[in-house]
Amino acid sequence: MLPRALFRTVALAEAVTWTLLLIGLFLKYVTKTTDVGVSIAGGIHGFVFLCYAFTAAFTWVNQKWSVGTGLLAVSSAVIPYATIPVEKSLDRRGLLDGGWRLAAGGEQPVGALEKLQAWILAKPLLAAGVVLVGVAAVFSFLLYMGPPDTWFS
């Protein structure tokens, strides 16, 4: 999967999970019928949020985005649905074009982040397993911490 397709897919998934979470919040706080939606959608959204942040950072390294562009892409997940206009803007400006430049036969990696990306691209199944375990570990820790509004109480 090329950077453009990967980024677009995960950006859309992040927006879809915002919808699920907002529906859950509506059911909990407006209709006061159930909080099951928040429990389920919150977990799904949290997981996809972390996957999006990783994907945005990974694409940032590959595409050699400026710091401002990279930070915008990563932070767009915080605002509901912002990943969609950010993705559209990046695509329109050609910032999602091309393949994985550090894949086998491509450019030589320079620096720690590029070397890590080259390793991930050379061993995608192993890397996917490591990334999923890492995201699951962060996700589990955040579940243990509870809802964000209770962290500092």
Side-chain angles (χ1 to χ4, degrees):
M1 183 178 280
L2 294 176
R4 179 176 185 257
L6 176 64
F7 190 86
R8 292 182 83 180
T9 300
V10 180
L12 176 62
E14 209 279 336
V16 168
T17 65
W18 262 118
T19 302
L20 298 174
L21 181 57
L22 291 171
I23 290 169
L25 290 168
F26 177 82
L27 293 173
K28 180 176 181 177
Y29 293 109
V30 176
T31 69
K32 300 189 186 310
T33 55
T34 181
D35 64 350
V36 172
V38 172
S39 298
I40 295 170
I44 294 168
H45 174 69
F47 186 79
V48 174
F49 176 92
L50 293 172
C51 290
Y52 173 81
F54 175 82
T55 300
F58 197 73
T59 307
W60 177 0
V61 171
N62 186 73
Q63 302 301 98
K64 294 184 176 183
W65 291 338
S66 69
V67 171
T69 299
L71 289 175
L72 174 67
V74 172
S75 65
S76 68
V78 175
I79 300 167
Y81 306 109
T83 58
I84 300 299
V86 167
E87 178 272 319
K88 296 290 183 203
S89 173
L90 293 169
D91 193 34
R92 189 172 38 256
R93 295 178 358 214
L95 296 176
L96 295 173
D97 292 346
W100 297 108
R101 65 183 179 81
L102 299 170
E107 295 178 25
Q108 288 298 312
V110 177
L113 288 176
E114 287 192 358
K115 287 179 182 177
L116 176 62
Q117 185 166 64
W119 178 83
I120 290 169
L121 292 169
K123 300 181 183 320
L125 293 178
L126 177 60
V130 170
V131 167
L132 286 175
V133 167
V135 168
V138 170
F139 181 69
S140 296
F141 174 74
L142 292 172
L143 282 177
Y144 169 76
M145 293 292 293
D149 62 344
T150 64
W151 290 354
F152 302 106
S153 323

